[in-house]
Amino acid sequence: GKRPLIAIKIIEGLMGKGIPVKLEIYGSGVMKNELQEYISTKNLDPFVKLEGNFKLDELNEVYKASHFLILASQSEGWPKAVAEAMFFGCIPVATGVSCVPWMLNYGERGILLTDGEKRVMRIENRGTEIGSDEKEWMEESVGKIIELIQDPEEMKRMSLAGQEWSQQYTLEKFESKIKKLL
C-alpha cells in the first residue's frame, strides 16, 4: 500500500526535467524483487537504492540529510513516517490519504499530491505503460516539486513550518499530558 513504484516514477520524471536526484527506499516487503527489476531495467541503479530496514536512530539521520520524503500511500492510519520526516525538516510529498492533508496543512507544510487517486492506481497497475491521463497527473506532481525546488525561500519556509508543527508531538509532551489527566 505504500506504492514505492510511484515514488520511483516521480524520480524518473524529475530526472527527465534535468533535476539531479537520488531516491533511497527504506523498509522491505513483497515488492522488493519487482522494484529491483524495474530499477535495473530502467538503468536507475545509480539513482535509486533499495536500502532495506533501518533502526529509528539511523532513519533520523537519513531524514536530517534529505530534502524530501515521498509517500504515495494508498491508505494510512497515522502516517508516522511523514511526522518523523517533518520533525527533522524533511519536506513530505504525499498523497492526500487519511489525515495527511491536515498534517500538511493542505499544502503549507509539504506537497500534497491530490486529485488523482484513480490515476495513481492505474499508474501502479500498468507498470511501465501509462496513459495520457496518468502522464498528466505525474507531470503535475513532478511540476509541484520542481516549482518548490526553484524557490529556495519557500522551500525553507515549508521545511520550518513542518518542523514547528511536528515538534509539538513529542513523547515528553504526550507523557506530560497523560500525567495531567491522571
Side-chain angles (χ1 to χ4, degrees):
K2 302 295 182 196
R3 300 191 295 201
L5 187 55
I6 300 297
I8 294 170
K9 289 184 180 199
I10 288 172
I11 293 304
E12 285 181 283
L14 290 166
M15 290 171 63
K17 301 286 186 183
I19 305 295
V21 293
K22 176 176 79 168
L23 175 67
E24 297 169 345
I25 299 175
Y26 293 88
S28 109
V30 296
M31 292 186 68
K32 183 178 181 178
N33 291 337
E34 178 185 340
L35 293 173
Q36 190 58 61
E37 184 178 327
Y38 184 86
I39 292 164
S40 295
T41 301
K42 294 287 196 161
N43 297 317
L44 297 172
D45 298 290
F47 312 102
V48 180
K49 301 285 183 206
L50 302 179
E51 297 290 353
N53 292 327
F54 271 47
K55 294 178 182 174
L56 181 59
D57 59 329
E58 295 171 319
L59 277 177
N60 290 345
E61 293 304 313
V62 170
Y63 290 136
K64 288 177 189 177
S66 300
H67 294 97
F68 297 98
L69 163 86
I70 302 175
L71 187 68
S73 284
Q74 188 172 336
S75 67
E76 288 286 336
W78 172 255
K80 186 174 79 167
V82 172
E84 289 170 352
M86 291 169 74
F87 192 91
F88 294 105
C90 187
I91 299 170
V93 177
T95 48
V97 296
S98 180
C99 61
V100 170
W102 171 78
M103 291 175 77
L104 301 187
N105 196 21
Y106 306 92
E108 292 296 313
R109 295 188 281 256
I111 296 175
L112 194 56
L113 303 177
T114 59
D115 186 35
E117 186 59 27
K118 288 181 182 169
R119 289 184 277 175
V120 172
M121 292 295 288
R122 288 193 300 259
I123 291 168
E124 180 183 43
N125 293 334
R126 288 188 184 160
T128 57
E129 299 299 319
I130 61 175
S132 61
D133 198 34
E134 295 86 11
K135 284 181 184 176
E136 181 183 320
W137 182 87
M138 190 62 70
E139 286 178 19
E140 288 171 15
S141 300
V142 167
K144 287 180 182 182
I145 297 168
I146 291 172
E147 186 177 324
L148 184 60
I149 290 171
Q150 291 175 341
D151 188 346
E153 288 301 314
E154 177 60 12
M155 199 166 156
K156 183 177 181 178
R157 186 211 59 76
M158 190 176 280
S159 171
L160 290 173
Q163 262 186 312
E164 290 171 8
W165 176 84
S166 64
Q167 290 178 2
Q168 296 176 58
Y169 300 97
T170 64
L171 284 177
E172 293 80 14
K173 289 182 180 181
F174 181 67
E175 288 171 0
S176 169
K177 297 283 184 184
I178 291 175
K179 285 179 184 177
K180 285 181 183 179
L181 284 173
L182 298 175

